[in-house]
Amino acid sequence: MIGFLRKRRVRPGAPLWRWIGVRMIALAMSAILFVCGGMWLRFAWWEGHLRAKIPAPVRQELDMLEAQPRGDRQRLLQIYGEYMYGEYFTNESENKDLLFFGGFIVLSIPLILVGGAWMSLRLSRQLSAVAISADQIAQGDFTSRAALAQHSPEALRSLTDDFNRMAERLERRERELQASSAATAHELRTPLTAAKGRLQGMLDGVFEPTAQNFQLIMRQLDQLNHLINDLYLLSLISAEQLALSPSDFAVRSLLEERMAWAAPRLRELGMQAQVEANDALQLRADRDRLGQVVSILLDNAMRYAASGGWVILQARLQEGGVLIAVDDGGPGFAPEHLARACDRFWRAESSRSRHAGGSGLGLAVAAAIVQAHGGHLTVHNRDGGGASLRIVLPR
């Protein structure tokens, strides 16, 4: 598996079997209590009816004997047998009891049906929403999402959240797939056409075979090679075949190293650069790959935020891992573009044009490498203006 630091996320909440089991037991106990309560009422009514038929003097004597049952137990049993319970064990009495018992069982059936229907409805509403959405996705509608039903079990709500997250990733993957074929052909054709046109001009005598013209051709071929390498890296990550070499290293030294590599271009652009990180901050990751991510984010700031005049690399501990951020003072992202900033071949027309030299794969490559480490990359706009690209990695 890619992502040697990736951890399985544990969902809170009671498991579904416990939710069903508790309600099944409660439903069964309710039915039993209904039958038992009905039989108790039947016997209470029967006993009251018998007592009412006892002659008044005998009933007074019975009340006294029941108040002191040890006084004359023989007489108490005699009254019970003669006036109350003597016929209890006859076939007629047993048949009546069985008839009442069966009647209460029949009356409890609606309770069981209503309770079962209520429980089934709470389960089926959420499962039906997921099933309907799954069917729509199977038919090619990757924008479909399962709605969260009210009062559904926590386990099913978690299932729905996971399903919607999967659908969101499928939608993004489908969007990338649809765009990548045409975009890849276009991006590959652009440097090839430029190089071929320059060579053809040299063959036709339109251009002189000078070192400058050969450098222009080499620049186009280098751009083509860089694009192919990015596509190959993304394919490795998508296939979970990217080999990572984790090691422990100081984050500040990595940031300073990548900032030093970018220093000549930063000076050329007139940008102020700064690194903010604790010397003791350590991270376990593939240092070269993570350095590649930092360089991509720095390059992004230099391409599109040079007008802001500064860029800051910072790293710090935060709950759950290490945060590495690249902040700049440029124009930032349009709010509607934030969600798509890491898509393959995506450029905002106003600020991410091809004329700036980018292929549209940089942030997609960076996000994929970070994801392979079990982290995530997010794009934000700073409150004071400019962009903030943030990497969160587990320690």
Side-chain angles (χ1 to χ4, degrees):
M1 290 287 294
I2 284 183
F4 58 92
L5 291 174
R6 186 178 299 168
K7 295 183 179 179
R8 183 180 180 271
R9 184 165 47 90
V10 179
R11 281 284 190 178
L16 185 59
W17 66 264
R18 186 181 301 170
W19 188 93
I20 296 175
V22 168
R23 282 154 182 80
M24 291 279 288
I25 293 172
L27 184 59
M29 292 297 296
S30 298
I32 292 172
L33 289 175
F34 177 80
V35 174
C36 292
M39 293 302 294
W40 180 83
L41 289 174
R42 180 262 189 282
F43 287 123
W45 172 86
W46 177 75
E47 183 177 352
H49 180 70
L50 291 179
R51 283 181 180 271
K53 294 170 60 177
I54 299 175
V58 179
R59 189 164 58 247
Q60 291 178 358
E61 182 183 4
L62 176 62
D63 292 339
M64 294 177 59
L65 291 173
E66 285 181 336
Q68 297 179 350
R70 295 184 180 180
D72 192 347
R73 184 174 180 80
Q74 192 67 28
R75 176 58 180 163
L76 178 62
L77 295 177
Q78 181 183 358
I79 295 174
Y80 280 160
E82 182 177 351
Y83 293 98
M84 296 184 63
Y85 305 123
E87 299 180 356
Y88 179 74
F89 297 102
T90 64
N91 290 335
E92 181 182 359
S93 179
E94 290 180 358
N95 290 337
K96 288 182 179 180
D97 286 344
L98 290 175
L99 183 62
F100 273 97
F101 184 73
F104 286 122
I105 290 179
V106 171
L107 291 175
S108 69
I109 291 178
L111 173 66
I112 297 173
L113 292 177
V114 171
W118 172 80
M119 186 170 62
S120 300
L121 183 61
R122 294 187 65 182
L123 291 173
S124 63
R125 279 188 303 182
Q126 192 61 72
L127 292 175
S128 296
V130 174
I132 292 172
S133 183
D135 181 65
Q136 293 173 344
I137 291 175
Q139 296 179 23
D141 182 11
F142 290 94
T143 63
S144 178
R145 300 290 184 271
L148 283 174
Q150 292 185 348
H151 310 300
S152 58
E154 180 64 26
L156 290 186
R157 296 177 68 87
S158 297
L159 171 66
T160 305
D161 289 339
D162 291 338
F163 175 84
N164 287 337
R165 189 162 37 253
M166 178 195 69
E168 182 180 352
R169 295 185 64 181
L170 285 174
E171 181 187 6
R172 172 172 289 189
R173 187 65 59 87
E174 177 68 13
R175 186 172 63 237
E176 291 177 353
L177 184 61
Q178 291 177 355
S180 64
S181 297
T184 301
H186 181 75
E187 295 291 343
L188 292 174
R189 185 168 57 245
T190 300
L192 278 176
T193 302
K196 182 180 178 180
R198 182 68 57 170
L199 283 172
Q200 187 65 47
M202 293 169 64
L203 290 174
D204 294 341
V206 177
F207 301 115
E208 295 292 331
T210 61
Q212 181 180 4
N213 283 325
F214 283 118
Q215 287 177 355
L216 290 175
I217 295 172
M218 281 299 299
R219 190 175 304 140
Q220 296 297 328
L221 294 178
D222 287 340
Q223 182 180 346
L224 179 62
N225 184 64
H226 181 70
L227 177 61
I228 292 173
N229 288 336
D230 284 346
L231 288 171
Y232 178 65
L233 178 61
L234 286 171
S235 67
L236 285 178
I237 296 174
S238 297
E240 299 191 350
Q241 294 180 358
L242 179 65
L244 298 176
S245 301
S247 62
D248 296 318
F249 59 89
V251 178
R252 183 180 180 87
S253 66
L254 174 66
L255 301 184
E256 290 177 340
E257 173 189 292
R258 296 293 165 160
M259 187 70 83
W261 288 8
R265 191 172 172 202
L266 288 168
R267 286 194 295 269
E268 180 182 343
L269 295 171
M271 296 182 70
Q272 299 294 322
Q274 185 176 350
V275 175
E276 297 178 357
N278 193 308
D279 292 336
L281 182 58
Q282 296 283 319
L283 180 64
R284 181 169 181 80
D286 188 319
R287 193 179 190 278
D288 293 336
R289 289 297 185 189
L290 190 57
Q292 181 181 358
V293 172
V294 175
S295 293
I296 289 173
L297 301 187
L298 268 176
D299 181 74
N300 185 80
M302 289 186 291
R303 286 183 189 276
Y304 309 116
S307 60
W310 60 268
V311 61
I312 296 178
L313 276 179
Q314 54 182 312
R316 64 177 182 272
L317 280 176
Q318 73 166 28
E319 184 178 357
V322 174
L323 170 69
I324 300 175
V326 180
D327 294 348
D328 63 60
F333 293 81
E336 64 270 18
H337 294 156
L338 290 173
R340 297 196 58 194
C342 294
D343 287 0
R344 299 183 187 186
F345 297 116
W346 178 85
R347 298 182 182 90
E349 292 299 324
S350 60
S351 61
R352 297 297 190 261
S353 75
R354 185 176 290 102
H355 301 293
S359 66
L361 286 176
L363 291 183
V365 170
I369 293 175
V370 172
Q371 185 178 2
H373 282 79
H376 58 272
L377 185 152
T378 54
V379 179
H380 309 267
N381 282 326
R382 300 176 60 255
D383 293 337
S388 179
L389 283 72
R390 303 171 188 172
I391 304 166
V392 177
L393 293 168
R395 296 194 70 187

